[in-house]
Structures are given as structure tokens and as C-alpha cells.
Amino acid sequence: MYTNSGAHVRWNGVLSKSFAVLNGVKQGGIVSPVLFCIYIDGLLQRLKDSNAGCWIGKVFVGALAYADDIVLLAPTPRAMRHMLQICESYGQKFFIQFNANKSACMLVGKRFVSVRHKVQFYIDGQQIPVVDEFLHLGHTVVSQLDDNKEILNKRNELCGKINNVLCYRYLKCCDPVVKVKLLRSYCTTVW
């Protein structure tokens, strides 16, 4: 599936010449998240073995990975810097580039309020922005340890979906049973 893989770029109706795709996984591919996790497993193991990240009991939660996202959790800025150094060395060895512009650092807890603007983190020589909130896998994560913004966003999302079903001109005259079935299938999330 990935051996001798090639691609074209279509822009403004014009197709480029074919070029070889030498790294990465196919965007939207069903097995892409699994292949990424297999490829990145060595990094996750190194991070776990470093004991620098966070633990819940005997379970390591200092490096969480899904699809092409990796979240690092560390109890101190020093531990985070150590974990970032592990990522850099692994990336150099296995040709992985980490993008600081697509990364964010969040300091959580009251003890970091006064030093938030003084703390800096780097990956591959680029500074990672320190933020108070960011969107991760469709969810708003905030440093204040509350979920009010996330709840409001999900509430608004649900209201929009309900309005789409109830107000769509072709569905106004539908049988109520059909509307309920549409509401259940379109407006609820299955995990």
C-alpha cells in the first residue's frame, strides 16, 4: 500500500507531474492512525521509560497519541523539556519533523499563573507558543481546569444540528416519527 507510492497535485484544474511519496501516512486512510501508532510506538516507549511524564498510579499518561497527534503531559517545566528532547532525538533518528507552529504548550494550575509568560519550550529549535486554551481533537481544552467553554461549544453545536433537522424546508412536513429518527441519528454522538 505504501511501497512505491506516488501523488499528483491538482490546482486550478491543472494536474502536476507525479512525484514519489517517501514518508507519512495517507490522510483519511482507514489504517493511517494504526500505522502512525506503530511507527511512533518507539517514541512513546522512550518517553515512558524516561519517567519524566505524568502517571496515574502505575499507568503512564505522559504521552498520549492518536492519529498524527501526540500530547505530552509533564508535572514540571523541566520534565517537559526533557520529554521534548527525547522527541527531538527520536525525530532525528527516524526522520520525523515536529512542527512548533502546530503545537501548543499549556501550563495548568494556579502555581503557574505568575510564570506563564516566562516559561518557554522548544522543539527542533522552534519555540512552542504558550496558550491558555486550544482545540484538540474537536474539544476545547483550557488551563483554568473548567469545562464551561467546552460545554457551551457542544451545546451550540447540538442546537445547530437540531435546527438543521427541524427547519430544513423538505423536512418541515415530515411525520414526527421520521423527525425523531433523524434527530437521534444526526444529533447524537456515538462513542
Side-chain angles (χ1 to χ4, degrees), residues 27-77:
Q27 183 73 29
I30 293 173
V31 297
S32 293
V34 175
L35 292 173
F36 173 78
C37 286
I38 291 168
Y39 190 72
I40 211 76
D41 190 59
L43 171 60
L44 300 176
Q45 190 60 49
R46 286 183 189 184
L47 290 166
K48 179 181 178 183
D49 292 345
S50 75
N51 288 318
C54 292
W55 294 77
I56 298 177
K58 294 182 180 183
V59 177
F60 178 67
V61 293
L64 309 172
Y66 178 77
D68 63 348
D69 287 332
I70 301 173
V71 175
L72 300 179
L73 301 172
T76 65

Side-chain angles (χ1 to χ4, degrees), residues 105-125:
C105 173
M106 180 182 295
L107 301 170
V108 179
K110 294 178 182 176
R111 66 184 172 145
F112 291 115
V113 171
S114 61
V115 296
R116 181 195 175 284
H117 297 290
K118 298 175 188 173
V119 177
Q120 296 178 340
F121 297 97
Y122 295 86
I123 188 79
D124 291 336

Side-chain angles (χ1 to χ4, degrees), residues 162-179:
I162 291 170
N163 283 335
N164 284 342
V165 170
L166 295 179
C167 298
Y168 189 63
R169 64 183 173 159
Y170 298 111
L171 299 177
K172 284 183 181 179
C173 303
C174 280
D175 184 82
V177 173
V178 172
K179 285 185 183 179

Side-chain angles (χ1 to χ4, degrees), residues 15-32:
L15 194 63
S16 75
K17 291 181 182 178
S18 179
F19 58 91
V21 177
L22 303 174
N23 59 7
V25 292
K26 294 179 180 183
Q27 183 73 29
I30 293 173
V31 297
S32 293

